[in-house]
Amino acid sequence: KNEVEQSPQNLTAQEGEFITINCSYSVGISALHWLQQHPGGGIVSLFMLSSGKKKHGRLIATINIQEKHSSLHITASHPRDSAVYICAVRFGNDMRFGAGTRLTVKP
Amino acid sequence: DVKVTQSSRYLVKRTGEKVFLECVQDMDHENMFWYRQDPGLGLRLIYFSYDVKMKEKGDIPEGYSVSREKKERFSLILESASTNQTSMYLCASSPDFYEQYFGPGTRLTVT
């Protein structure tokens, strides 16, 4: 069983819709990362958080340490948001990755 | 900006060949990582290095070795490529084990 579970695995939305991607983990962590991977493979870091909420543009990430759960929200989604979104958790020097959520936003 | 480059974006090799994947970072980071990414499994750590000539096994080191002769360069070696090593390989570097910067990836196909 993966220590990091993401849902949904695949998500298709219409442009403008509000998107939520969820991440649950089973271990105590020091930080949680949300990563974005565009077609072609390159990965960029969107957020690193250990408590509360962070916002960057149309992206919002929240974490509930007690419930071991994080969400990534995208407001007013756009086709350029189409990518794979990956949740990763850090405990000590170890990092564990979710399998990713493939988001497709249609115009 | 941190830049992590990988030697090839796409690579096709035959079973039994020795394969070298190279990764170079330009930010003087001490820590470098090699991952493979497979559908439904997410990223899995193969090896990491926390200093020149230092290396540690990750979760799936079997069939792989690494070399770090210079701080900026971390090489992944497949001694005898097999079809189950067909995958996307991602390199990353990090100053502190918290923030990792990823390369563009190498999609390796072993036939």
Side-chain angles (χ1 to χ4, degrees), chain A residues 17 55 57 76 104:
Chain A
E17 284 185 8
K55 184 175 188 292
T104 303

Side-chain angles (χ1 to χ4, degrees), chain A residues 36-87:
Chain A
Q36 181 191 56
Q37 184 175 30
H38 275 286
I43 294 176
V44 296
S45 178
L46 298 174
F47 295 103
M48 180 176 70
L49 64 165
S50 55
S51 65
K53 180 166 95 172
K54 286 190 175 180
K55 184 175 188 292
H56 182 70
R58 294 181 295 104
L59 302 178
I60 304 166
T62 64
I63 188 168
N64 184 318
I65 297 293
Q66 286 74 26
E67 295 190 1
K68 295 187 169 62
H69 181 268
S70 175
S71 293
L72 176 68
H73 306 284
I74 305 175
T75 61
S77 59
H78 190 276
R80 66 174 173 266
D81 297 325
S82 297
V84 175
Y85 292 84
I86 301 169
C87 169

Side-chain angles (χ1 to χ4, degrees), chain B residues 29-63:
Chain B
H29 289 168
E30 292 184 343
N31 310 295
M32 296 186 75
F33 307 81
W34 274 108
Y35 296 92
R36 65 177 281 176
Q37 184 182 31
D38 300 289
L41 295 178
L43 276 76
R44 293 178 292 166
L45 182 65
I46 305 171
Y47 269 97
F48 70 96
S49 168
Y50 53 90
D51 202 351
V52 175
K53 295 191 188 294
M54 306 302 286
K55 60 186 178 185
E56 291 286 342
K57 293 180 181 179
D59 299 318
I60 50 165
E62 297 78 19

Side-chain angles (χ1 to χ4, degrees), chain A residues 33 37 40 45 90 96, chain B residues 9 37 59 97-100:
Chain A
H33 300 254
Q37 184 175 30
S45 178
R90 174 167 303 289
R96 291 286 181 261
Chain B
R9 294 298 303 273
Q37 184 182 31
D59 299 318
F97 275 98
Y98 271 87
E99 199 66 51
Q100 291 193 16

Side-chain angles (χ1 to χ4, degrees), chain B:
Chain B
D1 279 353
V2 176
K3 194 165 183 185
V4 181
T5 57
Q6 294 183 226
S7 49
S8 305
R9 294 298 303 273
Y10 300 93
L11 208 52
V12 179
K13 295 292 182 180
R14 292 189 184 276
T15 301
E17 279 193 77
K18 191 169 186 176
V19 182
F20 293 87
L21 303 181
E22 291 211 316
C23 175
V24 178
Q25 51 100 358
D26 67 357
M27 280 304 291
D28 204 36
H29 289 168
E30 292 184 343
N31 310 295
M32 296 186 75
F33 307 81
W34 274 108
Y35 296 92
R36 65 177 281 176
Q37 184 182 31
D38 300 289
L41 295 178
L43 276 76
R44 293 178 292 166
L45 182 65
I46 305 171
Y47 269 97
F48 70 96
S49 168
Y50 53 90
D51 202 351
V52 175
K53 295 191 188 294
M54 306 302 286
K55 60 186 178 185
E56 291 286 342
K57 293 180 181 179
D59 299 318
I60 50 165
E62 297 78 19
Y64 304 95
S65 62
V66 290
S67 171
R68 192 158 180 212
E69 296 297 319
K70 293 185 178 181
K71 194 173 188 179
E72 67 270 18
R73 190 180 299 268
F74 190 35
S75 300
L76 180 70
I77 303 152
L78 287 66
E79 295 290 342
S80 177
S82 63
T83 54
N84 63 13
Q85 292 178 310
T86 291
S87 187
M88 169 73 91
Y89 290 88
L90 287 150
C91 173
S93 75
S94 173
D96 56 12
F97 275 98
Y98 271 87
E99 199 66 51
Q100 291 193 16
Y101 299 86
F102 287 86
T106 296
R107 190 169 293 281
L108 172 67
T109 302
V110 182
T111 60

